[in-house]
Amino acid sequence: MARSFYLACLTLAVADSAAFSPMNSFAAFKANTGRLVDEQKVANAHRKRRKEGELLDYPSFDAIQCANADVSKIINIVWLGLYAKFWTPLAVYFYPGMLPSAYENAGLRGKRLAEKEKQRRTGLTRLLGKIDKAASAPKKDRKPYDLTEPDVAAAVAALSAKNKQAAVAALAARPGAPLPEAALLAASLSLDGPYRFLPRWMHKGAVKKGVTLLTEGDAALRISDIAGLPAPCLENACVARGLLKPTKAEMERGLAEWLRVVDKADAVSEDEGKRARLALLAVNTVASIREGAVAKEPGVALLYAGKGF
């Protein structure tokens, strides 16, 4: 298994450098593996502190989440290597996000974070397509989790809202209402859930886990100095909340605004806080898409945003 894992890392080394050296590649593999082991030890120390009742700041919380993700990736590569060892290097070459974070360079990390943003935008785009379809051709015989007129109205109100707080209020205004299938699939995709064709209960579990992690991360952010967060921690916190921006200042403002919105919801009830986080994640994704449209196609963006004639 170590051979398959080494071959996978070797493939990336060849891709990254024209002057490839087997000895240099092995040295890099050894150093990164040592760093991976050290990160797991640090994460175990943080888990012990948390188990003893200590509140963790965000760097400690982030270290645990990164370690958990790395363990999952190692398990996936091991399984792939067991059943398709000759294809493992190719799989890692075309999907470098499969490798644990210790083996990432700056370019691979950037691609992985960009892929998460793309994933979230894809989920929202699919949801809006379903909303348009429900608005233009409502079903006569609805299933229990189909979109309804109030769902469409809430989406329209959120997209037309003047600010994020109003948009979140519009989306989270139906306490107790079951999450429509289209919204559940979009939320599941945003929170690294399973494939679309898998059962509803699996997507519900993924969304529940994702919202729980956001809530725990928010608690860690509240006792942390956001301005003093290391760059990787800041990026991880922002990409988890749809707030990845070009500059550090923009990301810090985004996190501060996120905490203000969810703090108000948490003060009402736990369920209100959960709904607000899902709604704010969607709202941040909308804002990200709009910012991208203005930058890439300002004329088209103005065409669809303009009102009055």
Side-chain angles (χ1 to χ4, degrees):
M1 252 2 290
R3 180 184 176 188
S4 295
F5 197 70
Y6 171 64
L7 286 174
C9 297
L10 194 65
T11 304
L12 284 181
V14 173
D16 287 343
S17 175
F20 167 67
S21 165
M23 293 303 296
N24 290 342
S25 176
F26 179 76
F29 173 75
K30 184 178 179 181
N32 290 336
T33 301
R35 186 156 63 93
L36 179 65
V37 172
D38 290 340
E39 288 173 355
Q40 293 295 325
K41 290 179 180 178
V42 170
N44 285 335
H46 293 320
R47 291 187 187 101
K48 184 178 179 181
R49 290 168 50 210
R50 184 172 64 180
K51 190 175 181 180
E52 292 172 351
E54 184 177 344
L55 291 176
L56 300 182
D57 59 8
Y58 198 82
S60 302
F61 173 83
D62 186 60
I64 293 175
Q65 299 312 308
C66 289
N68 290 344
D70 286 345
V71 169
S72 297
K73 289 179 179 181
I74 291 171
I75 292 172
N76 290 337
I77 292 176
V78 167
W79 276 108
L80 183 63
L82 285 173
Y83 293 102
K85 63 180 179 180
F86 295 111
W87 295 104
T88 302
L90 281 177
V92 171
Y93 177 77
F94 288 107
Y95 301 99
M98 292 173 62
L99 281 177
S101 59
Y103 299 91
E104 287 181 333
N105 56 31
L108 292 178
R109 175 178 169 80
K111 288 180 180 178
R112 177 170 60 82
L113 296 183
E115 184 60 31
K116 283 185 175 290
E117 286 291 299
K118 181 181 177 182
Q119 197 170 291
R120 190 165 288 132
R121 293 183 181 195
T122 299
L124 180 66
T125 303
R126 289 175 181 169
L127 173 58
L128 292 177
K130 295 286 186 181
I131 289 172
D132 286 346
K133 188 175 180 180
S136 60
K139 292 182 179 180
K140 294 181 180 179
D141 299 321
R142 285 197 178 93
K143 296 178 182 178
Y145 299 112
D146 282 345
L147 290 163
T148 63
E149 284 85 358
D151 295 323
V152 174
V156 172
L159 290 169
S160 306
K162 294 181 179 180
N163 53 55
K164 288 186 178 182
Q165 181 72 62
V168 169
L171 290 176
R174 300 181 63 209
L179 200 61
E181 188 74 10
L184 177 66
L185 291 176
S188 178
L189 182 60
S190 296
L191 296 168
D192 297 323
Y195 295 109
R196 277 195 295 173
F197 61 82
L198 291 173
R200 179 180 172 86
W201 64 266
M202 295 183 70
H203 291 284
K204 285 183 67 176
V207 171
K208 181 179 180 181
K209 178 182 177 182
V211 173
T212 299
L213 288 176
L214 285 175
T215 304
E216 292 175 355
D218 292 343
L221 282 171
R222 290 188 187 100
I223 63 171
S224 303
D225 176 18
I226 292 179
L229 289 177
C233 282
L234 181 63
E235 290 174 351
N236 289 341
C238 288
V239 78
R241 292 161 178 78
L243 293 168
L244 194 61
K245 304 288 183 182
T247 67
K248 182 175 184 288
E250 287 178 292
M251 289 190 285
E252 290 172 358
R253 286 196 299 270
L255 285 179
E257 183 181 30
W258 171 283
L259 290 176
R260 284 197 299 272
V261 174
V262 298
D263 282 350
K264 291 180 181 179
D266 286 338
V268 177
S269 69
E270 182 180 349
D271 287 340
E272 185 71 17
K274 292 177 180 178
R275 286 195 299 274
R277 284 174 175 83
L278 278 180
L280 190 50
L281 194 58
V283 170
N284 286 341
T285 306
V286 170
S288 176
I289 291 174
R290 285 174 171 170
E291 289 170 4
V294 170
K296 293 179 181 178
E297 300 176 306
V300 174
L302 287 171
L303 172 65
Y304 288 103
K307 295 180 181 179
F309 65 91

